[in-house]
Amino acid sequence: MNPLKTLMQDHGYQLGEDGRLTLGEPADASMPLADMPHADLADRALAENALTPLGNFEVLEVCGKDGERFLQGQTSQQLSLVDGELAPLTTFCTPKGRILAMAQLLRVSEERLWLVMPAGTAEPLRVHLAKFAPFYKVTLEVSSELSVLGLLGEQTLAACADALAAPALAKHDLAMRSVLPSPLQSSEDDEAQTCALARQPSGDTPRAILVGPHAALADLATTLFAREVAASDDTRWCLEDIRAGLQWVTSAQTDSWLPQMLNLEALAAISFKKGCYTGQEVVARAHFRGQVKKRLQRLTTAQPADLPAVGSKITSPDGKSLGEVLQAAHDEQGRLELLAVISLRDEEIALALEDGTQLERSALPYAVERRDPEQLKS
């Protein structure tokens, strides 16, 4: 049994048939956070400083001395920036510039990179990249030994760094640290157990992911719970993704979007200063010629409403389809917050869901313009 899942069940989580950990019953995952069946669970899920197991993410390991050179020709990110202090986002594209997969890049040693990705997307990417791997000294493996924890609140991030006996994370976007937890240092006969702590884009609540072996993360979670960090789950994490304007590409959404349609150039996931990579010509043309006709937008409701399914249409007053829902969650009062890709033809037109629920455009926490990853540390 995964020791992290065992620990979480001891702290009030329920394990669903799909392996997902939720606070309360798994069937309650779509209800508003404030309406969770037990008041103490609701209070914990809403806490400013909290942690949540992210079973909806997995890790693709790229190992070998050619790892950086190998990925440089496949990804939109400048790999020289992935230096163990910066963990930028990136995309892998088709020759037509559509996103095959999306990841956060973490360097944990000179010859080892972790690609943190939505569950179900790492193995297809591994198969795709394996076609090119024979030309490089690299191995590709979807790890069964690593888990991902989400950390919410600056105090939680600081407590985690302290528990790892590591300096606090830098304040700049997507800062990271890779460390060997001192309580878990291996014997001379065992491989060292590395953990990595990396910031993620956020709205008002700072947040990061912690990646490492199951047992190491269980020990660290125990330490954080003892420091009064509350328990939360991926329902809250989804809401924070929406507030951050961050849309992860899932297995159902591959080959659907140009990176700019998800505002990824505004999240510093695209380097326009690096050399060629698969899909680079199309991505660059879309940027320099302004050919993006629809983009990711954050939408909300003024009143509580039912949660729409991913793929639900966004319509105009006359019923014309203008876009689709990519991600949706309830806020603390049961109102909707969602991310949708919407046509840019008429930015003033009223928007609604297919069931007639009226939607309002809400601000994103970033300017929708090019942000070079080379400037992230400055």
Side-chain angles (χ1 to χ4, degrees), residues 158-346:
C160 184
D162 183 60
L164 291 167
L169 280 174
K171 296 295 185 181
H172 65 74
D173 291 359
L174 304 165
M176 74 157 287
R177 292 198 182 281
S178 175
V179 297
L180 177 66
S182 53
L184 296 166
Q185 286 183 0
S186 58
S187 70
E188 294 181 358
D189 298 328
D190 297 327
E191 183 179 356
Q193 297 189 78
T194 300
C195 289
L197 180 64
R199 289 188 184 272
Q200 283 208 332
S202 61
D204 292 334
T205 303
R207 60 186 189 146
I209 55 171
L210 177 65
V211 187
H214 311 310
L217 263 58
D219 282 357
L220 288 165
T222 299
T223 299
L224 295 177
F225 283 139
R227 298 188 184 193
E228 299 185 349
V229 172
S232 186
D233 66 14
D234 58 14
T235 302
R236 167 76 182 283
W237 195 261
C238 175
L239 180 61
E240 295 298 334
D241 272 346
I242 293 169
R243 290 173 173 174
L246 174 61
Q247 175 59 45
W248 288 97
V249 175
T250 66
S251 57
Q253 297 165 339
T254 59
D255 202 11
S256 298
W257 314 107
L258 291 171
Q260 289 96 330
M261 292 178 181
L262 301 186
N263 298 342
L264 289 176
E265 85 278 35
L267 290 168
I270 307 170
S271 172
F272 293 96
K273 299 180 179 181
K274 66 174 287 184
C276 293
Y277 59 90
T278 304
Q280 181 264 346
E281 183 178 353
V282 177
V283 173
R285 187 187 310 126
H287 171 69
F288 290 109
R289 297 185 181 179
Q291 295 177 335
V292 179
K293 305 302 181 184
K294 50 187 176 181
R295 276 193 178 272
L296 190 74
Q297 298 185 38
R298 179 179 168 223
L299 306 173
T300 57
T301 62
Q303 302 296 329
D306 292 336
L307 198 70
V310 172
S312 298
K313 298 302 180 185
I314 305 294
T315 64
S316 64
D318 60 4
K320 181 180 179 180
S321 176
L322 298 176
E324 65 179 271
V325 175
L326 299 191
Q327 187 173 190
H330 284 119
D331 72 3
E332 297 83 353
Q333 286 75 43
R335 298 169 300 202
L336 288 180
E337 297 198 23
L338 57 90
L339 293 176
V341 171
I342 306 291
S343 170
L344 299 177
R345 291 178 184 173
D346 191 342

Side-chain angles (χ1 to χ4, degrees), residues 21-79:
L21 288 161
T22 57
L23 284 173
E25 296 299 323
D28 296 329
S30 65
M31 71 170 50
L33 294 173
D35 289 347
M36 295 179 71
H38 303 291
D40 62 328
L41 292 183
D43 290 342
R44 290 157 64 193
L46 291 167
E48 180 180 356
N49 290 285
L51 66 82
T52 177
L54 294 178
N56 53 340
F57 282 86
E58 58 192 2
V59 180
L60 174 62
E61 287 192 284
V62 179
C63 298
K65 67 178 184 179
D66 286 345
E68 179 176 321
R69 191 164 63 92
F70 169 64
L71 290 176
Q72 180 73 1
Q74 301 299 325
T75 172
S76 62
Q77 192 53 260
Q78 174 60 262
L79 263 293

Side-chain angles (χ1 to χ4, degrees), residues 105-137:
L105 292 164
L106 284 69
R107 181 179 293 281
V108 292
S109 69
E110 184 176 353
E111 297 188 3
R112 183 161 51 145
L113 292 153
W114 288 347
L115 280 62
V116 182
M117 309 176 62
T121 64
E123 176 58 18
L125 180 64
R126 187 199 66 78
V127 172
H128 170 73
L129 294 177
K131 294 182 291 185
F132 311 101
F135 303 102
Y136 300 86
K137 294 180 180 180

